[in-house]
């Protein structure tokens, strides 16, 4: 975060009008990461996806792989106890959430950032974020994952369903919300009917209109 602040200052971004963090929640295989990257590139915003893992790891002096495992497995309860006994260095999911909140709150103060996932739209207050949900029909997402990762359709479907279930369970348990509920987002885009570029354009046009970027 200190590096980001320094880079912003050098680029003169710290003197520009405030624009909330753009949080992008995605369904696996929807192309949401690509949309998020294109939005960030269009405006010169910071882009954070997996980079948040390193920020949290640095703040608690722990191996980033540990954070990644927590994000992948969404450990809790008895699993936490077992994991803490098996690993020399372990970060409890409650501590992970605490540090995740600190990173996101810091980003919220500065704005002009695109964040993919990490429950950012449920953590940041409305005035600090513009929340987007990107989805597509399951069959379209399966086809995308099978093509991009060169895996059989059955494996692509299994990968998508597994990630969806873990993400939904994490949001439900932690925030008591349904990640799929469109009422939690200012904008919901379906890349099964819109191209990646058109989806990017929709977000950008809204930001340009509302925040005079």
């Amino acid at each position: 975060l200190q590096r980001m602040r320094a880079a912003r200052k050098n680029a003169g971004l710290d003197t520009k009008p405030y624009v909330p963090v753009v949080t992008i929640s995605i369904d696996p295989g929807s192309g949401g990461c690509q949309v998020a990257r294109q939005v960030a590139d269009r405006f010169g915003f910071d882009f954070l996806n997996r980079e948040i893992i390193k920020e949290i790891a640095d703040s608690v002096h722990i191996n980033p792989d540990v954070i990644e495992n927590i994000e992948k497995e969404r450990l809790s309860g008895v699993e936490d106890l077992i994991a803490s006994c098996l690993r020399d260095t372990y970060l409890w999911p409650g501590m992970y959430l605490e540090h995740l909140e600190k990173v996101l709150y810091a980003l919220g103060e500065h704005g002009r950032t695109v964040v993919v996932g990490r429950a950012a739209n449920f953590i940041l207050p409305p005035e600090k974020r513009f929340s987007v949900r990107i989805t597509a029909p399951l069959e379209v997402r399966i086809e995308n994952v099978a093509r991009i990762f060169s895996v059989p359709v059955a494996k692509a479907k299994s990968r998508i369903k597994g990630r969806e279930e873990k993400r939904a369970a994490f949001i439900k348990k932690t925030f008591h919300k349904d990640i799929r509920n469109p009422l939690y987002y200012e904008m919901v885009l379906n890349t099964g009917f819109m191209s990646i570029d058109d989806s990017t354009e929709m977000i950008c046009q809204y930001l340009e209109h509302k925040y005079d970027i």
Side-chain angles (χ1 to χ4, degrees):
L1 292 177
Q2 290 178 343
R3 291 192 298 270
M4 288 172 57
R5 293 190 187 106
R8 286 170 181 236
K9 187 174 182 179
N10 291 335
L13 295 179
D14 56 341
T15 61
K16 292 187 176 182
Y18 179 80
V19 179
V21 174
V22 180
T23 67
I24 299 190
S25 171
I26 65 174
D27 271 332
S30 65
C33 282
Q34 188 176 348
V35 172
R37 170 67 76 177
Q38 290 183 178
V39 171
D41 288 346
R42 170 79 72 89
F43 297 118
F45 289 177
D46 292 312
F47 173 81
L48 290 177
N49 184 6
R50 295 173 59 84
E51 294 84 354
I52 290 182
I53 294 175
K54 186 177 185 308
E55 292 292 343
I56 297 174
D58 287 347
S59 70
V60 294
H61 309 292
I62 200 171
N63 191 313
D65 291 342
V66 176
I67 309 295
E68 190 163 6
N69 284 334
I70 292 174
E71 289 204 338
K72 285 182 178 179
E73 302 303 328
R74 313 295 185 186
L75 301 177
S76 62
V78 175
E79 291 175 339
D80 286 335
L81 178 60
I82 295 173
S84 65
C85 293
L86 293 177
R87 297 173 185 164
D88 293 332
T89 308
Y90 181 68
L91 181 68
W92 293 75
M95 292 176 63
Y96 158 77
L97 184 60
E98 178 184 340
H99 287 277
L100 174 62
E101 288 176 343
K102 288 180 179 178
V103 171
L104 290 174
Y105 288 152
L107 294 173
E109 288 303 310
H110 294 275
R112 291 183 173 267
T113 302
V114 177
V115 175
V116 177
R118 271 76 197 183
N121 64 300
F122 295 106
I123 293 175
L124 290 172
E127 67 273 14
K128 298 294 185 182
R129 47 90 171 149
F130 168 62
S131 57
V132 180
R133 173 80 172 161
I134 298 181
T135 186
L138 179 59
E139 60 272 17
V140 172
R141 294 188 286 121
I142 291 173
E143 181 181 337
N144 288 341
V145 171
R147 183 185 70 256
I148 293 170
F149 295 99
S150 300
V151 296
V153 168
K155 187 171 183 178
K157 182 177 181 179
S158 176
R159 178 183 296 187
I160 287 172
K161 298 298 287 185
R163 291 187 178 182
E164 280 183 338
E165 290 171 2
K166 288 176 181 176
R167 290 175 184 176
F170 172 72
I171 297 300
K172 187 70 174 179
K173 179 178 180 178
T174 308
F175 304 100
H176 309 291
K177 308 288 187 182
D178 181 358
I179 194 173
R180 303 179 184 89
N181 190 334
L183 296 180
Y184 296 131
Y185 307 92
E186 279 89 348
M187 183 180 292
V188 178
L189 301 174
N190 186 337
T191 54
F193 300 100
M194 300 176 65
S195 69
I196 297 297
D197 288 344
D198 285 344
S199 298
T200 300
E201 194 63 31
M202 286 285 291
I203 298 172
C204 290
Q205 285 188 9
Y206 177 86
L207 292 173
E208 289 171 343
H209 173 74
K210 184 163 185 177
Y211 300 105
D212 195 25
I213 301 177

